[in-house]
Amino acid sequence: MDVARSDIVQSIAGRDKGKLFFVLDVEGEYLLLADGKVRRLESPKRKKRKHALLAARYECRTADKIRSGEKVTNSELRRTLAQYGGEGDQDQEG
């Protein structure tokens, strides 16, 4: 399965190994990722596809907003990733 915009991926390499991110955009072999906490929308992480594993095609309001190009907030990303099964304390700051 190919990774697309608004998917949830898990990092499998690097300092952020094991963390969940939303895919904001796909640029060739690179993905632009954000989690709303460490990697915010203002400065997404640029990561090679081979270093990220597709976790889910999560159907939710946040994913719909990313796909349609609507404004998304960092707190929405944190909340949705926490609901999906990310770190339980992700929504504490913000």
Side-chain angles (χ1 to χ4, degrees), residues 73-94:
T73 64
N74 287 307
S75 61
E76 284 178 296
L77 293 181
R78 287 193 306 270
R79 192 177 315 112
T80 304
L81 289 173
Q83 287 173 354
Y84 173 73
E87 299 172 13
D89 65 340
Q90 266 186 333
D91 201 36
Q92 295 299 316
E93 290 184 48

Tab-separated table of all heavy atoms in Angstrom, residues 73-94:
chain	number	residue	atom	x	y	z
A	73	THR	N	-5.331	22.668	12.837
A	73	THR	CA	-4.533	23.179	13.954
A	73	THR	C	-3.664	22.066	14.536
A	73	THR	O	-3.957	20.885	14.356
A	73	THR	CB	-5.426	23.758	15.068
A	73	THR	OG1	-6.218	22.706	15.606
A	73	THR	CG2	-6.320	24.871	14.534
A	74	ASN	N	-2.616	22.471	15.235
A	74	ASN	CA	-1.736	21.506	15.886
A	74	ASN	C	-2.485	20.700	16.942
A	74	ASN	O	-2.247	19.508	17.094
A	74	ASN	CB	-0.537	22.224	16.512
A	74	ASN	CG	0.430	22.702	15.453
A	74	ASN	OD1	0.876	21.940	14.610
A	74	ASN	ND2	0.754	23.987	15.488
A	75	SER	N	-3.409	21.340	17.642
A	75	SER	CA	-4.162	20.620	18.672
A	75	SER	C	-5.061	19.547	18.053
A	75	SER	O	-5.260	18.484	18.651
A	75	SER	CB	-4.980	21.579	19.529
A	75	SER	OG	-5.920	22.274	18.760
A	76	GLU	N	-5.584	19.801	16.854
A	76	GLU	CA	-6.383	18.781	16.164
A	76	GLU	C	-5.527	17.564	15.833
A	76	GLU	O	-5.974	16.423	15.988
A	76	GLU	CB	-6.977	19.337	14.868
A	76	GLU	CG	-8.147	20.258	15.052
A	76	GLU	CD	-8.644	20.800	13.730
A	76	GLU	OE1	-7.884	21.540	13.065
A	76	GLU	OE2	-9.791	20.472	13.366
A	77	LEU	N	-4.299	17.807	15.360
A	77	LEU	CA	-3.399	16.701	15.063
A	77	LEU	C	-3.104	15.892	16.309
A	77	LEU	O	-3.184	14.660	16.296
A	77	LEU	CB	-2.083	17.218	14.467
A	77	LEU	CG	-2.123	17.875	13.101
A	77	LEU	CD1	-0.714	18.294	12.684
A	77	LEU	CD2	-2.725	16.965	12.058
A	78	ARG	N	-2.764	16.575	17.405
A	78	ARG	CA	-2.453	15.882	18.667
A	78	ARG	C	-3.635	15.052	19.146
A	78	ARG	O	-3.486	13.886	19.524
A	78	ARG	CB	-2.069	16.882	19.757
A	78	ARG	CG	-0.719	17.507	19.582
A	78	ARG	CD	-0.276	18.242	20.836
A	78	ARG	NE	-1.220	19.229	21.317
A	78	ARG	CZ	-1.237	20.507	20.957
A	78	ARG	NH1	-0.363	20.947	20.086
A	78	ARG	NH2	-2.119	21.336	21.470
A	79	ARG	N	-4.807	15.661	19.125
A	79	ARG	CA	-6.014	14.991	19.607
A	79	ARG	C	-6.323	13.742	18.787
A	79	ARG	O	-6.607	12.670	19.327
A	79	ARG	CB	-7.194	15.960	19.579
A	79	ARG	CG	-8.408	15.484	20.312
A	79	ARG	CD	-9.537	16.509	20.333
A	79	ARG	NE	-9.104	17.870	20.634
A	79	ARG	CZ	-9.133	18.882	19.760
A	79	ARG	NH1	-9.577	18.709	18.546
A	79	ARG	NH2	-8.728	20.077	20.122
A	80	THR	N	-6.244	13.858	17.468
A	80	THR	CA	-6.563	12.735	16.597
A	80	THR	C	-5.548	11.613	16.740
A	80	THR	O	-5.920	10.435	16.792
A	80	THR	CB	-6.636	13.201	15.126
A	80	THR	OG1	-7.579	14.263	15.028
A	80	THR	CG2	-7.061	12.072	14.217
A	81	LEU	N	-4.261	11.953	16.811
A	81	LEU	CA	-3.244	10.921	16.994
A	81	LEU	C	-3.395	10.229	18.341
A	81	LEU	O	-3.183	9.022	18.453
A	81	LEU	CB	-1.840	11.518	16.838
A	81	LEU	CG	-1.466	11.916	15.410
A	81	LEU	CD1	-0.128	12.661	15.400
A	81	LEU	CD2	-1.419	10.721	14.493
A	82	ALA	N	-3.783	10.970	19.366
A	82	ALA	CA	-4.018	10.370	20.684
A	82	ALA	C	-5.210	9.421	20.626
A	82	ALA	O	-5.177	8.336	21.211
A	82	ALA	CB	-4.241	11.452	21.727
A	83	GLN	N	-6.258	9.800	19.926
A	83	GLN	CA	-7.436	8.931	19.777
A	83	GLN	C	-7.084	7.683	18.993
A	83	GLN	O	-7.576	6.603	19.284
A	83	GLN	CB	-8.567	9.663	19.057
A	83	GLN	CG	-9.244	10.700	19.885
A	83	GLN	CD	-10.245	11.519	19.068
A	83	GLN	OE1	-10.355	11.373	17.860
A	83	GLN	NE2	-10.952	12.389	19.755
A	84	TYR	N	-6.243	7.820	17.993
A	84	TYR	CA	-5.865	6.681	17.170
A	84	TYR	C	-5.096	5.647	17.988
A	84	TYR	O	-5.179	4.464	17.754
A	84	TYR	CB	-5.042	7.120	15.959
A	84	TYR	CG	-4.501	5.940	15.201
A	84	TYR	CD1	-5.343	5.152	14.422
A	84	TYR	CD2	-3.165	5.577	15.295
A	84	TYR	CE1	-4.869	4.044	13.758
A	84	TYR	CE2	-2.682	4.473	14.624
A	84	TYR	CZ	-3.523	3.710	13.870
A	84	TYR	OH	-3.039	2.610	13.218
A	85	GLY	N	-4.332	6.123	18.950
A	85	GLY	CA	-3.569	5.177	19.765
A	85	GLY	C	-2.146	5.612	19.976
A	85	GLY	O	-1.301	4.812	20.355
A	86	GLY	N	-1.883	6.882	19.729
A	86	GLY	CA	-0.548	7.411	19.960
A	86	GLY	C	-0.300	7.534	21.452
A	86	GLY	O	-0.982	6.943	22.273
A	87	GLU	N	0.662	8.309	21.811
A	87	GLU	CA	0.999	8.512	23.211
A	87	GLU	C	-0.195	9.142	23.931
A	87	GLU	O	-0.797	10.100	23.459
A	87	GLU	CB	2.208	9.428	23.331
A	87	GLU	CG	3.416	8.847	22.674
A	87	GLU	CD	4.565	9.819	22.629
A	87	GLU	OE1	4.519	10.846	23.307
A	87	GLU	OE2	5.506	9.548	21.892
A	88	GLY	N	-0.506	8.617	25.095
A	88	GLY	CA	-1.668	9.071	25.839
A	88	GLY	C	-1.578	10.502	26.320
A	88	GLY	O	-2.576	11.162	26.510
A	89	ASP	N	-0.362	11.031	26.502
A	89	ASP	CA	-0.209	12.398	27.024
A	89	ASP	C	0.020	13.416	25.926
A	89	ASP	O	0.383	14.542	26.204
A	89	ASP	CB	0.951	12.451	28.022
A	89	ASP	CG	2.296	12.155	27.382
A	89	ASP	OD1	2.298	11.553	26.286
A	89	ASP	OD2	3.312	12.492	27.984
A	90	GLN	N	-0.230	13.064	24.665
A	90	GLN	CA	0.053	13.989	23.568
A	90	GLN	C	-0.784	15.257	23.640
A	90	GLN	O	-0.349	16.300	23.217
A	90	GLN	CB	-0.223	13.310	22.218
A	90	GLN	CG	1.014	12.689	21.656
A	90	GLN	CD	0.756	12.167	20.272
A	90	GLN	OE1	-0.359	11.822	19.903
A	90	GLN	NE2	1.786	12.115	19.477
A	91	ASP	N	-1.986	15.205	24.161
A	91	ASP	CA	-2.859	16.372	24.156
A	91	ASP	C	-2.708	17.225	25.410
A	91	ASP	O	-3.399	18.201	25.586
A	91	ASP	CB	-4.316	15.926	23.992
A	91	ASP	CG	-5.191	17.053	23.480
A	91	ASP	OD1	-4.722	17.854	22.666
A	91	ASP	OD2	-6.339	17.127	23.919
A	92	GLN	N	-1.775	16.907	26.283
A	92	GLN	CA	-1.611	17.634	27.526
A	92	GLN	C	-1.086	19.044	27.326
A	92	GLN	O	-1.445	19.947	28.039
A	92	GLN	CB	-0.683	16.873	28.483
A	92	GLN	CG	-1.272	15.545	28.936
A	92	GLN	CD	-2.571	15.736	29.687
A	92	GLN	OE1	-2.700	16.610	30.533
A	92	GLN	NE2	-3.568	14.922	29.371
A	93	GLU	N	-0.198	19.243	26.365
A	93	GLU	CA	0.365	20.577	26.122
A	93	GLU	C	-0.346	21.231	24.974
A	93	GLU	O	-0.106	20.949	23.839
A	93	GLU	CB	1.841	20.462	25.769
A	93	GLU	CG	2.721	20.051	26.904
A	93	GLU	CD	4.161	20.059	26.452
A	93	GLU	OE1	4.567	21.062	25.835
A	93	GLU	OE2	4.848	19.090	26.699
A	94	GLY	N	-1.242	22.112	25.246
A	94	GLY	CA	-1.728	22.813	24.125
A	94	GLY	C	-3.152	23.081	24.043
A	94	GLY	O	-3.704	23.700	23.322
